[in-house]
Amino acid sequence: MIGQQIVLAARPEGEPKESDFALVETEVPTPGPGEILVRALYVSVDPYQRGRMSEARSYAKSVALGEVMTSQTVGEVIESDDDRFAPGDVVVGQLGWQEYAVARGSALRRVPPSVPPTLALGVLGATGLTAYFGLFEVGRPVPGDTVVVSGAAGAVGQVVGQLARLAGCRTVGIAGGPDKLADLTGEYGYDVGIDYKADDVNGALKAACPDGVDVYFDNVGGELSDLVLRRLALHARVVVCGQVSQYNNQTPELGPRLLGLLIVHRARIEGFLVTDYAPRFGEAIPRLAAWLAAGKLRYREDVTDGLENAPRAFIGMLRGENRGKALVRVAEPG
Amino acid sequence: MIGQQIVLAARPEGEPKESDFALVETEVPTPGPGEILVRALYVSVDPYQRGRMSEARSYAKSVALGEVMTSQTVGEVIESDDDRFAPGDVVVGQLGWQEYAVARGSALRRVPPSVPPTLALGVLGATGLTAYFGLFEVGRPVPGDTVVVSGAAGAVGQVVGQLARLAGCRTVGIAGGPDKLADLTGEYGYDVGIDYKADDVNGALKAACPDGVDVYFDNVGGELSDLVLRRLALHARVVVCGQVSQYNNQTPELGPRLLGLLIVHRARIEGFLVTDYAPRFGEAIPRLAAWLAAGKLRYREDVTDGLENAPRAFIGMLRGENRGKALVRVAEPG
């Protein structure tokens, strides 16, 4: 059997180009003892993947040239030599941008039939879990806090704002462009939305956060974050989830040195990775599912059709062109 | 009665000059009901005072032009209308660069006769307490950690290194010049000393911290900190105690944006102020005193004679010219 894959063809310099990727067709491996063959339904497109395309030292090894691009994937079990999985089961795992993948059961999580498969990549998957653990474990919001989110209409940001409201906080979302701005307050329940492309962000932040920023959940970094860091409240917590404005830089961008502000505000800046919380995913997923079922978590997905378009979807996502969680549909459930 | 004071004569632009200060003589106020008249023995010279000379928003209000320069002072009670204090008692408080000060008892802490007065400004005063709470509460070292300290031969840094050793850590101190370098390992028990003025700091850090930096206690900031931040270990804690390299800047210096490293290392950068721990000073001082008595805490003082020389001592301290805790002797105990 032949399957399609998107492999890394060249290491992007600056902004990735479609030619940095290649669509290849290869023989699908036969699953060995204990292994499972999965057919992809949707593959995910997320900012962290930019880091995996680079050889810079990071928390995970780089994707090699010619190797399948890594991604979260939700798919259907085709063949299984593991009693825990049967053909037809929907599963999610780090299976990459490819039609077929062979994995061990320990690398897969089952998606219940009641859950739409795309949610396993979104609110009930890595992005929802990132929002949950980043906000609650690192940001530690308490009722009455003002929580500012950058990339607030993105896959993670849209969930963060709603979780912060559930925690009794005032929420201020920052995103780019009129569509996303409308979604911030219209869909994701932000108390205030700021369009960084159109608004005077500094003035808008000042007006929206008269008592300062208690929690800043940062997906973006760069100059936008400089403005927020200058408005921290006493004992503020800054959650560094992503720095998407910086990911295409070959060398670090220069910015003002602001660490002295942490003394003034007795504030904390902390980075985290959702995978460190894997032992606790089982705590978070039922809560997220319950909030979804109760209509307390709304979400938007931005679906691109066809595995061959994953690179384009990825490049567009880095530019902020997606409206909601960026996904690529590979196949319909069989 | 007439007393001498050093007042702020002009707001320093960049590095302070002696002409930014003025020595004045004024009538000493008569203590009112419940008040205490204190004659200064030693006044302290510390980096945070640079912030008080500026009008930039900070954690405490600026010293006004013509106002006595704020400082920790250890002195002798001359007159007291508070039963808790008697003439001859030695006390410490934020009494400023002046010969005589009037204060309420709540603003003073008694120094036991067994304690040399200068220690109330050093290891058993604000600097020792800064080291204690910054390292143990913010840095949270555990045995086996590698702890790097910038400004390691300074008033706070010399204590931090020794406290980290008491906590079972390996300690790496960074300071400038051969005298301080000798003190790092010779006096303060650092396992490794690095002279940032003479050594290849990056190479020296790499050699000294083969498993990365678990705790970075930062008194200095700037390019030195950039080098340390690039060597953090997983779950590293960066304690922002001071940023003395930045205090003379009129606008923030530019440096590489490195917050993305916090994701890679799941690391935390946190600022603190020792005054927030005032309710717990009574916990720390007996411990510091016991370690001193047991010979487990060594210290060096750099004493300048004469209140009139406080500005010069301050300017020299900002330049790193002091070897140990910078103090100004105002008078001998009477």
Side-chain angles (χ1 to χ4, degrees):
Chain A
M1 188 166 58
I2 297 294
Q4 291 191 329
Q5 303 177 317
I6 304 283
V7 300
L8 187 64
R11 300 224 171 270
E13 296 182 7
E15 187 178 23
K17 304 180 296 294
E18 292 199 46
S19 60
D20 294 328
F21 306 91
L23 178 73
V24 299
E25 302 205 325
T26 54
E27 182 68 26
V28 175
T30 306
E35 289 187 334
I36 297 145
L37 176 64
V38 179
R39 184 174 70 107
L41 300 173
Y42 291 85
V43 298
S44 192
V45 167
D46 299 286
Y48 78 87
Q49 291 167 309
R50 180 64 184 84
R52 305 293 180 90
M53 297 171 192
S54 149
E55 284 186 304
R57 188 169 74 103
S58 187
Y59 53 85
K61 69 177 176 52
S62 305
V63 173
L65 291 180
E67 193 180 359
V68 175
M69 190 55 216
T70 188
S71 77
Q72 282 276 296
T73 296
V74 64
E76 209 171 46
V77 173
I78 301 292
E79 261 185 77
S80 173
D81 189 51
D82 181 321
D83 290 346
R84 295 169 295 176
F85 298 92
D89 284 355
V90 176
V91 293
V92 64
Q94 195 78 16
L95 303 179
W97 284 352
Q98 56 185 342
E99 279 188 288
Y100 295 95
V102 168
R104 302 198 67 86
S106 57
L108 301 175
R109 200 154 41 79
R110 187 196 312 280
V111 180
S114 59
V115 171
T118 57
L119 280 183
L121 300 177
V123 179
L124 300 182
T127 54
L129 292 163
T130 298
Y132 181 96
F133 289 104
L135 180 65
F136 294 150
E137 292 296 318
V138 185
R140 299 196 170 272
V142 294
D145 276 352
T146 295
V147 177
V148 173
V149 182
S150 62
V156 172
Q158 61 178 256
V159 183
V160 172
Q162 297 177 84
L163 295 182
R165 273 182 67 88
L166 287 168
C169 301
R170 278 188 71 243
T171 56
V172 178
I174 309 174
D179 287 348
K180 292 183 185 175
L181 183 68
D183 288 347
L184 290 179
T185 49
E187 293 290 320
Y188 311 137
Y190 280 96
D191 292 296
V192 180
I194 299 175
D195 178 357
Y196 73 85
K197 292 181 176 172
D199 294 343
D200 160 20
V201 177
N202 195 39
L205 275 172
K206 184 174 180 180
C209 311
D211 301 318
V213 177
D214 298 292
V215 177
Y216 174 42
F217 193 105
D218 185 20
N219 294 300
V220 174
E223 291 179 20
L224 193 59
S225 289
D226 295 340
L227 295 174
V228 183
L229 291 174
R230 291 175 194 270
R231 301 212 164 273
L232 296 182
L234 203 60
H235 301 298
R237 290 81 70 199
V238 176
V239 183
V240 186
C241 176
Q243 298 278 283
V244 70
S245 70
Q246 307 297 305
Y247 290 165
N248 285 331
N249 295 335
Q250 305 278 72
T251 56
E253 183 182 286
L254 296 182
R257 295 189 183 279
L258 298 178
L259 294 186
L261 291 174
L262 300 185
I263 304 174
V264 174
H265 303 295
R266 287 78 127 184
R268 158 166 70 83
I269 306 183
E270 187 163 351
F272 78 104
L273 268 190
V274 66
T275 45
D276 289 342
Y277 294 93
R280 292 179 52 197
F281 285 175
E283 159 199 326
I285 291 173
R287 296 182 184 193
L288 292 162
W291 289 321
L292 266 175
K296 291 180 177 170
L297 268 186
R298 298 162 65 96
Y299 63 96
R300 197 185 271 280
E301 295 172 338
D302 190 320
V303 180
T304 298
D305 261 308
L307 179 66
E308 68 277 14
N309 293 318
R312 192 157 51 75
F314 175 75
I315 293 164
M317 182 272 309
L318 279 189
R319 289 181 185 159
E321 292 170 2
N322 56 308
R323 186 175 181 181
K325 171 73 189 102
L327 299 168
V328 175
R329 178 161 32 215
V330 179
E332 292 297 328
Chain B
M1 188 167 57
I2 297 292
Q4 292 192 328
Q5 304 177 316
I6 305 283
V7 300
L8 187 64
R11 301 223 172 270
E13 296 182 6
E15 186 177 24
K17 304 180 296 294
E18 292 199 45
S19 60
D20 294 328
F21 306 91
L23 179 73
V24 299
E25 302 206 324
T26 54
E27 182 68 26
V28 175
T30 306
E35 289 186 334
I36 297 145
L37 176 64
V38 178
R39 184 174 71 107
L41 300 173
Y42 291 85
V43 299
S44 192
V45 166
D46 299 286
Y48 77 87
Q49 292 167 309
R50 180 65 184 83
R52 304 293 180 90
M53 296 171 192
S54 149
E55 284 186 303
R57 189 168 73 103
S58 187
Y59 54 84
K61 69 176 176 52
S62 305
V63 173
L65 291 180
E67 193 181 359
V68 175
M69 190 56 217
T70 188
S71 77
Q72 282 277 297
T73 297
V74 64
E76 209 170 46
V77 173
I78 301 291
E79 258 185 79
S80 173
D81 188 50
D82 181 322
D83 290 346
R84 295 169 295 176
F85 298 92
D89 284 356
V90 176
V91 293
V92 64
Q94 195 78 16
L95 302 179
W97 285 352
Q98 56 185 342
E99 279 188 290
Y100 294 95
V102 168
R104 302 198 66 86
S106 57
L108 301 174
R109 201 153 41 80
R110 187 196 312 279
V111 180
S114 59
V115 171
T118 57
L119 280 183
L121 300 177
V123 179
L124 300 183
T127 54
L129 292 163
T130 298
Y132 181 96
F133 288 104
L135 181 65
F136 294 150
E137 292 296 318
V138 185
R140 299 196 169 274
V142 294
D145 276 351
T146 295
V147 176
V148 173
V149 182
S150 62
V156 172
Q158 62 179 254
V159 183
V160 172
Q162 296 177 84
L163 295 182
R165 274 182 66 89
L166 286 168
C169 302
R170 278 188 70 242
T171 56
V172 178
I174 308 174
D179 287 348
K180 292 183 185 176
L181 183 68
D183 288 347
L184 290 179
T185 49
E187 292 290 320
Y188 311 136
Y190 280 96
D191 292 296
V192 180
I194 299 175
D195 178 357
Y196 73 84
K197 292 181 176 171
D199 294 343
D200 160 21
V201 177
N202 196 38
L205 275 172
K206 184 175 179 179
C209 311
D211 301 318
V213 177
D214 298 293
V215 177
Y216 174 41
F217 193 105
D218 185 20
N219 294 300
V220 174
E223 291 180 19
L224 193 59
S225 289
D226 295 340
L227 295 174
V228 183
L229 291 174
R230 292 175 194 270
R231 302 213 163 272
L232 296 182
L234 203 60
H235 301 298
R237 289 81 69 198
V238 176
V239 183
V240 186
C241 177
Q243 297 278 283
V244 70
S245 70
Q246 307 297 305
Y247 290 165
N248 285 332
N249 295 335
Q250 305 279 71
T251 56
E253 182 181 286
L254 296 182
R257 295 189 183 279
L258 298 178
L259 294 186
L261 291 174
L262 300 185
I263 304 174
V264 175
H265 303 294
R266 286 79 126 182
R268 159 165 69 83
I269 306 183
E270 187 164 351
F272 78 104
L273 268 190
V274 67
T275 45
D276 289 342
Y277 294 93
R280 292 178 53 197
F281 285 176
E283 159 199 326
I285 291 173
R287 296 182 185 193
L288 292 162
W291 288 321
L292 266 175
K296 290 180 177 170
L297 268 186
R298 298 163 66 96
Y299 63 95
R300 196 185 271 280
E301 295 172 339
D302 189 320
V303 180
T304 299
D305 261 308
L307 180 66
E308 68 279 13
N309 293 319
R312 192 157 50 74
F314 175 75
I315 293 164
M317 182 272 309
L318 279 189
R319 289 181 185 158
E321 292 170 2
N322 56 309
R323 186 175 181 180
K325 171 74 189 101
L327 299 168
V328 175
R329 178 161 32 215
V330 179
E332 292 297 329

